[in-house]
Amino acid sequence: EADIYQTPRYLVIGTGKKITLECSQTMGHDKMYWYQQDPGMELHLIHYSYGVNSTEKGDLSSESTVSRIRTEHFPLTLESARPSHTSQYLCASSDRSGEREGRDTQYFGPGTRLTVL
Amino acid sequence: QKEVEQDPGPLSVPEGAIVSLNCTYSNSAFQYFMWYRQYSRKGPELLMYTYSSGNKEDGRFTAQVDKSSKYISLFIRDSQPSDSATYLCAMRVRTGANNLFFGTGTRLTVIP
């Protein structure tokens, strides 16, 4: 079982509020990711990080921002939540040192289900 | 056209049945193929990971990749009610690639 945690698991919040979704992993993985998952749709990558102080945007445009100050921690922030941000947010991590042997599979956290009213 | 196509189901089978789940894809550069299982209100959990064409077996699960047809399958033998979940296929071009391309998932229910 992967040791990757997300809090809160569920969040209902009003429009305009600032929110931070927490993600942490205890596996020492270099790479971390944020995906967005909507019902009946495929997962889309919105942010990723190669390591501390490294963050990149994914394929799906997102108004959220991320930071990576510590290896184990990769929080996602929305400065002003809107109903269009309602979705499931999934955090994942992988071991970069396993890439050459193809052992860099991504392990997912349980997700945060965000509802913006 | 989507990179990865997956029949969303839902699929209902009796306990003990053999289940076949499938995905097709359009990008011939995909080399690494994964199947994830996602229980309701949980994150995806890696089930099977294969490289290139061929079969891989793990207990009741068998993953098959046919690169010539751009088609991958997951077979579940002797299906159990605990197998009831959404199954997601995923693939990528190379190790180290950040982007996994996912199917939309097939929802499976195994009826006792």
Side-chain angles (χ1 to χ4, degrees):
Chain A
E1 190 173 318
D3 296 321
I4 181 164
Y5 308 98
Q6 291 186 243
T7 57
R9 293 292 315 279
Y10 304 93
L11 181 61
V12 180
I13 202 160
T15 297
K17 299 291 186 182
K18 178 180 179 178
I19 59 168
T20 296
L21 308 184
E22 301 287 350
C23 175
S24 60
Q25 50 95 6
T26 59
M27 298 173 283
H29 287 172
D30 300 310
K31 293 175 79 170
M32 296 188 73
Y33 315 80
W34 276 102
Y35 286 86
Q36 194 169 328
Q37 183 181 33
D38 295 309
M41 302 291 290
E42 58 268 41
L43 276 74
H44 285 290
L45 183 68
I46 51 175
H47 297 283
Y48 62 94
S49 167
Y50 286 107
V52 171
N53 294 326
S54 152
T55 61
E56 301 287 344
K57 289 190 178 294
D59 290 347
L60 183 68
S61 176
S62 174
E63 293 164 346
S64 58
T65 58
V66 292
S67 63
R68 189 89 184 274
I69 297 171
R70 302 199 318 263
T71 298
E72 63 272 21
H73 197 214
F74 191 40
L76 180 145
T77 298
L78 277 165
E79 289 293 332
S80 179
R82 293 207 299 270
S84 60
H85 297 139
T86 295
S87 187
Q88 164 109 321
Y89 291 85
L90 289 162
C91 181
S93 71
S94 66
D95 182 3
R96 195 173 188 183
S97 67
E99 284 177 6
R100 189 166 296 176
E101 297 85 16
R103 291 185 290 107
D104 62 328
T105 52
Q106 295 183 18
Y107 296 92
F108 284 83
T112 294
R113 187 170 296 274
L114 172 66
T115 302
V116 184
L117 303 175
Chain B
Q1 184 186 5
K2 286 185 179 181
E3 297 269 7
V4 181
E5 297 279 358
Q6 184 175 7
D7 187 339
L11 183 61
S12 290
V13 301
E15 184 175 353
I18 296 174
V19 177
S20 172
L21 304 168
N22 312 293
C23 288
T24 59
Y25 60 94
S26 56
N27 187 350
S28 58
F30 286 139
Q31 296 191 78
Y32 297 87
F33 304 91
M34 287 137 274
W35 284 96
Y36 284 86
R37 177 175 61 196
Q38 187 173 21
Y39 290 114
S40 181
R41 303 183 190 287
K42 296 284 180 69
E45 167 195 15
L46 183 68
L47 261 184
M48 301 286 281
Y49 181 75
T50 54
Y51 168 68
S52 195
S53 285
N55 292 0
K56 183 175 182 179
E57 189 173 320
D58 184 1
R60 296 184 295 109
F61 299 90
T62 299
Q64 236 175 42
V65 175
D66 181 350
K67 290 190 70 182
S68 62
S69 302
K70 298 193 185 71
Y71 188 87
I72 69 170
S73 301
L74 177 71
F75 297 96
I76 307 174
R77 289 185 300 281
D78 187 25
S79 56
Q80 302 295 308
S82 58
D83 295 328
S84 298
T86 296
Y87 290 80
L88 304 162
C89 64
M91 50 199 77
R92 62 181 171 191
V93 172
R94 57 176 176 82
T95 60
N98 298 302
N99 210 357
L100 286 178
F101 291 87
F102 283 87
T104 53
T106 299
R107 190 168 182 178
L108 171 67
T109 301
V110 181
I111 302 164

